[in-house]
Amino acid sequence: MSASLSQQAKIKISDTDMLDPGGLYDQWHTYARQAFQRRKRMRVKPAGKNDFRNCGFQRLKLLDRRTAQRCLKAAEVLARDPTQLKAEREYQLNLKIFDQDTCLEILDAVFGGALDGILTEHFGCEYFVFKFSIGITDPTPEPDMSMLWHMDSGPPAFVNLLIYLNGSKQHGGTTEFLDRVVSKRLWNAGYNPRVEDRLDDLAPLARRAGTKYKPVVEPVGAGEGMLFDARYVLHRGRVPTKARRYLLSLCILPSVLPWRESFKLWSADRLNAFDGGWLPEFLGVLVPACPNSGQLQFAMRQK
């Protein structure tokens, strides 16, 4: 952890799990909820139909056809540039994102509709883009473990957003989900596997647990996104069968600052340099700009 982070956020370094309830990320969320003023001074756009609250996932129209097409063409260009590659697996590429202005234009569209209300209701505060990348997946007959049933590890409060730049009809891929209730019952029945122990079919376990097993398949169109509570709902990807799938992958965290202010600081350049883990460098960037940052103290929760 950098010296500047320790000084600015006054973090006490000790042997602890930052992701646990009461840990560093949880403390940041508590601070964000306490600082949330937007509902008091202006109307937050209503969330509208909110399957996310009830089910833990929701399909949303986020980009119009023209914007999705423009992003797709730009992603195709980036994919041909080896300097834009962040990570690579056998049939999957993870690319750096677009320049700052392009990203802001995209995020303005994404957060300008019902999604803003869903996120502020869910977190009870503002939010910011913690991770952002371009994902490309080629058709393959043998998907890896990320395409089997799982919940993501991470802090108590985060959500994932996948924005598809080409649709399921074009590439043949999609995402499947089990709702919050079924996911919790299967978790309580013991399904918390290591990566190598993930399963393709949870029907036998569901029968033993006495719960229904009816995965929800969400075919998506270009410009549509899937928002999901990845730590608490079981999900799995379905690899494309016809053509390359292009999507924007975002991880969203609670924030004290509105997302535009956060993105000026935790910017496209920083996100492209970020390793994508759960390291708390963002605190050293965002905390100094937060209200009452001089009085803010995080205490690393002892194991």
Side-chain angles (χ1 to χ4, degrees), residues 249-271:
S249 178
L250 288 73
C251 176
I252 302 170
L253 282 182
S255 179
V256 177
L257 302 171
W259 73 263
R260 286 184 186 84
E261 294 181 38
S262 297
F263 198 71
K264 292 177 184 177
L265 302 168
W266 194 241
S267 61
D269 285 344
R270 289 183 181 273
L271 286 163

Side-chain angles (χ1 to χ4, degrees), residues 147-151 176-179 182-187 189-193 197-215 233-236 238:
M147 299 293 177
L148 302 179
W149 286 109
H150 66 283
M151 300 181 194
E176 294 186 22
F177 298 94
L178 296 173
D179 67 29
V182 174
S183 296
K184 185 174 182 179
R185 287 174 179 170
L186 292 177
W187 172 278
Y191 190 69
N192 179 25
D197 295 327
R198 291 174 179 175
L199 298 176
D200 180 65
D201 183 10
L202 297 180
L205 178 61
R207 286 193 294 269
R208 293 195 297 272
T211 191
K212 65 180 181 180
Y213 178 71
K214 190 175 181 180
V233 297
L234 285 161
H235 56 279
R236 59 169 300 166
R238 288 291 186 183

